[in-house]
Amino acid sequence: MANVSHRGDISSHPDVSEMRERYARMLGGRDVALVDGPVFLLGLYCAASPWIVHYTASQPPLVVHNLIMGIAIGLLALGFTTAPARMYGLSWAMCALGVWMIIAPWIVGSSPDTGVIVNNIVIGALAVVLGALCAGASARSAARP
């Protein structure tokens, strides 16, 4: 059996310059790696917020809405983590989801109380801020040579 644990010097490899450029490109797109976790946690909280804030009985349509929106935000976060080069173009969709979360209590819900409104405004504002951070970092990394 071959010894595959030996790590030799790859400087003589014919594709070393191409491999280094590819590695630099991959790391260059990860400027917002610290945002991926908070985006996922925001989606998780959004999905669980009807049970945390206790409005499952008073706002059934908003319960389903926040559950679906939380799953969507969580899936965006997973996409940001697994395929950053492709997904950071969708950072503006995160901002749009945030704006929708802010206005949803009045459109989806029926006479929401203050706790429901504040909950959705906080979730929406955080989604807008995190989406703008992702979009800004994506623009910066795209502008690099």
Side-chain angles (χ1 to χ4, degrees), residues 11-131:
S11 62
S12 62
H13 193 280
D15 296 329
V16 71
S17 61
E18 180 183 338
M19 291 185 325
R20 285 186 178 146
E21 287 175 22
R22 182 170 185 240
Y23 183 71
R25 275 195 321 265
M26 286 174 39
L27 288 181
R30 298 299 300 150
D31 287 346
V32 290
L34 295 176
V35 179
D36 298 349
V39 170
F40 183 75
L41 290 175
L42 180 67
L44 185 65
Y45 174 76
C46 181
S49 67
W51 293 274
I52 295 171
V53 182
H54 302 291
Y55 60 88
T56 54
S58 64
Q59 298 288 331
L62 207 52
V63 170
V64 174
H65 171 269
N66 279 18
L67 180 64
I68 292 170
M69 292 297 289
I71 291 169
I73 292 171
L75 288 175
L76 273 176
L78 289 176
F80 292 159
T81 302
T82 58
R86 294 180 183 167
M87 291 296 292
Y88 280 126
L90 291 176
S91 300
W92 293 111
M94 181 81 175
C95 294
L97 290 176
V99 170
W100 173 252
M101 285 298 295
I102 291 172
I103 62 173
W106 295 280
I107 295 173
V108 178
S110 57
S111 63
D113 63 353
T114 306
V116 173
I117 294 170
V118 170
N119 180 60
N120 273 33
I121 288 175
V122 168
I123 292 171
L126 285 172
V128 168
V129 168
L130 291 172

